[in-house]
């Protein structure tokens, strides 16, 4: 019979726990009504106004159906405006409304604060390395992640 695993030595468990910490910090210090995924969409539209939903999904690493739900919710709340692309009527271009820009601006300082708090778990000289490792994990494609090395 196999004994219990020490989950503190398993990357997936630690990533899940780190996400729980991030979510708790987000809800407490940033917003309990705007999720970090919704903020990511707002942020992408702030940086890239006039892109379509598929592009936004790619920019923030969301599947298209989740991106659609988030864009719909943000549009219903008056934070995102939608306009048909004159060159390709099949595409809808997205921009932040004035309310969306105001909301984004109000959330940025708190988002920066919790980012700093999360990185504070590491000595300052290790921040670039920690972000490099997290970025490497975040960029794994599901197929690559499933293949044994």
């Amino acid at each position: 019979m196999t004994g219990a695993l020490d989950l503190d030595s398993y990357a997936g468990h630690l990533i899940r726990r780190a996400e729980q910490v991030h979510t708790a910090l987000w809800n407490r210090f940033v917003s309990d009504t705007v999720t970090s995924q919704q903020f990511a969409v707002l942020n992408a539209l702030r940086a890239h106004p006039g892109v379509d939903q598929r592009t936004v999904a790619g920019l923030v690493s969301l599947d298209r159906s989740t991106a659609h739900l988030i864009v719909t919710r943000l549009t219903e709340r008056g934070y995102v405006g939608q306009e048909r692309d004159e060159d390709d009527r099949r595409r809808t271009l997205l921009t932040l409304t004035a309310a969306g820009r105001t909301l984004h601006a109000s959330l940025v300082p708190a988002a920066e604060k919790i980012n700093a708090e999360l990185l504070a778990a590491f000595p300052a000289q290790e921040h670039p390395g920690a972000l490099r490792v997290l970025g490497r994990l975040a960029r794994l494609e599901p197929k690559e992640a499933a293949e044994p090395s």
Side-chain angles (χ1 to χ4, degrees), residues 55-107:
T55 301
V56 169
L59 289 169
V60 297
S61 301
L62 293 173
D63 62 82
R64 286 192 289 171
S65 62
T66 302
H68 173 75
L69 291 172
I70 290 172
V71 167
T72 298
R73 181 162 288 139
L74 293 172
T75 300
E76 289 170 352
R77 291 181 182 169
Y79 299 130
V80 172
Q82 299 187 18
E83 184 178 306
R84 284 280 176 215
D85 184 345
E86 291 299 322
D87 297 327
D88 182 350
R89 302 291 293 166
R90 296 170 296 176
R91 289 179 65 211
T92 300
L93 305 179
L94 308 172
T95 56
L96 292 181
T97 63
R101 288 189 301 276
T102 299
L103 175 64
H104 176 266
S106 74
L107 297 175

Side-chain angles (χ1 to χ4, degrees), residues 4-58:
L5 299 174
D6 175 11
L7 292 180
D8 286 338
S9 64
Y10 279 79
H13 175 73
L14 296 173
I15 290 168
R16 182 182 63 78
R17 287 287 302 126
E19 176 59 21
Q20 288 174 327
V21 169
H22 172 262
T23 299
L25 288 171
W26 184 272
N27 291 338
R28 183 170 177 202
F29 295 110
V30 181
S31 177
D32 59 357
T33 59
V34 177
T35 67
S36 62
Q37 289 180 329
Q38 290 170 341
F39 175 78
V41 169
L42 292 170
N43 196 65
L45 292 175
R46 183 71 178 102
H48 306 279
V51 297
D52 63 23
Q53 190 169 290
R54 180 182 293 207
T55 301
V56 169

Side-chain angles (χ1 to χ4, degrees), residues 61 131-142 144:
S61 301
L131 290 171
R132 212 172 18 259
V133 168
L134 291 169
R136 194 174 306 145
L137 286 172
R139 286 186 291 278
L140 278 178
E141 293 295 324
E144 291 174 343

